[in-house]
Amino acid sequence: MNASTQTSSTQTSSTAYNLRQNVVGARSTAWWGMVMLITTEAMIFASLFSAYLYVRANSPAWPQGSIEVPELVIPLIGTALLLGGSVSIHLAQHAVRGDAPVQARTWMAVTFILALIFLSLQAFEYSRSPFTPTDNAYASLFFTITGIHGLHVIVGAVMVAILLMQSFVGYLSHARSGAVMNAALYWHFVDVIWLFVLAIIYLSPRL
């Protein structure tokens, strides 16, 4: 192999490497991976919601047994927390793209704290519940759906915590904003699912 061929090969490898480093947004493989993950998770929740509505349609009373309709105070506070998290992770994404690390860390920390408060409230709600998952089909579906959603909030919080640590070591930048964009996409998905949980699990039994 002559010198010109070696130089061309080196330039080609360098160019390919740079392209992989700088691909962000809807064109990146990571973005498409996140879209596929969200699609899969959405199908899981669609199945759970369908099961809930099917059991409800075939039950003489809802909630079943002597269980009262769930309270709304904690879920409504949780809604505000999750939606606030969507706003803060969006601002963090904007800050990373603008190479503003301090602002990015601040908004990511806000998102993480809001997630922890939401999870604490959900744990408090469970601790006060007068029924358990084994009481009847309604109780089982209630804990299953809200619990799986809570697991998704935990995953989102872990994502944000990792990004926060990466920001502290200077890893995140405009060129490396793809991870923040994917975390924001996931967080928005968790929020959308929560709105369905709120409507179906907490509001619809009152109708």
Side-chain angles (χ1 to χ4, degrees), residues 10-65:
T10 301
Q11 290 175 342
T12 301
S13 299
S14 177
T15 301
Y17 177 77
N18 289 333
L19 284 174
R20 287 196 295 272
Q21 284 284 315
N22 296 320
V23 170
V24 296
R27 296 171 298 169
S28 70
T29 303
W31 185 86
W32 281 107
M34 180 57 71
V35 170
M36 294 301 296
L37 172 65
I38 288 174
T39 301
T40 303
E41 299 298 296
M43 293 175 66
I44 293 174
F45 278 103
S47 300
L48 290 171
F49 292 145
S50 298
Y52 179 95
L53 295 174
Y54 176 81
V55 174
R56 177 181 178 177
N58 290 278
S59 298
W62 198 257
Q64 295 173 332

Side-chain angles (χ1 to χ4, degrees), residues 9-178:
S9 176
T10 301
Q11 290 175 342
T12 301
S13 299
S14 177
T15 301
Y17 177 77
N18 289 333
L19 284 174
R20 287 196 295 272
Q21 284 284 315
N22 296 320
V23 170
V24 296
R27 296 171 298 169
S28 70
T29 303
W31 185 86
W32 281 107
M34 180 57 71
V35 170
M36 294 301 296
L37 172 65
I38 288 174
T39 301
T40 303
E41 299 298 296
M43 293 175 66
I44 293 174
F45 278 103
S47 300
L48 290 171
F49 292 145
S50 298
Y52 179 95
L53 295 174
Y54 176 81
V55 174
R56 177 181 178 177
N58 290 278
S59 298
W62 198 257
Q64 295 173 332
S66 58
I67 297 176
E68 298 182 356
V69 295
E71 297 180 358
L72 284 179
V73 175
I74 291 178
L76 290 178
I77 295 174
T79 302
L81 293 170
L82 290 180
L83 294 179
S86 266
V87 173
S88 57
I89 193 65
H90 173 76
L91 293 173
Q93 178 186 346
H94 181 74
V96 170
R97 285 181 171 178
D99 286 326
V102 175
Q103 293 180 12
R105 282 195 289 271
T106 299
W107 290 119
M108 283 189 281
V110 169
T111 307
F112 182 74
I113 292 171
L114 292 175
L116 292 184
I117 297 174
F118 175 88
L119 293 170
S120 298
L121 285 176
Q122 189 172 48
F124 177 68
E125 180 187 26
Y126 285 174
S127 69
R128 297 173 62 246
S129 175
F131 56 91
T132 67
T134 59
D135 284 355
N136 54 41
Y138 166 81
S140 178
L141 286 166
F142 176 89
F143 279 101
T144 300
I145 294 174
T146 57
I148 291 179
H149 179 269
L151 289 176
H152 282 72
V153 176
I154 292 174
V155 172
V158 171
M159 286 184 183
V160 174
I162 293 173
L163 292 172
L164 195 56
M165 289 187 288
Q166 290 179 333
S167 176
F168 273 112
V169 297
Y171 181 81
L172 297 180
S173 64
H174 176 81
R176 292 171 171 167
S177 62

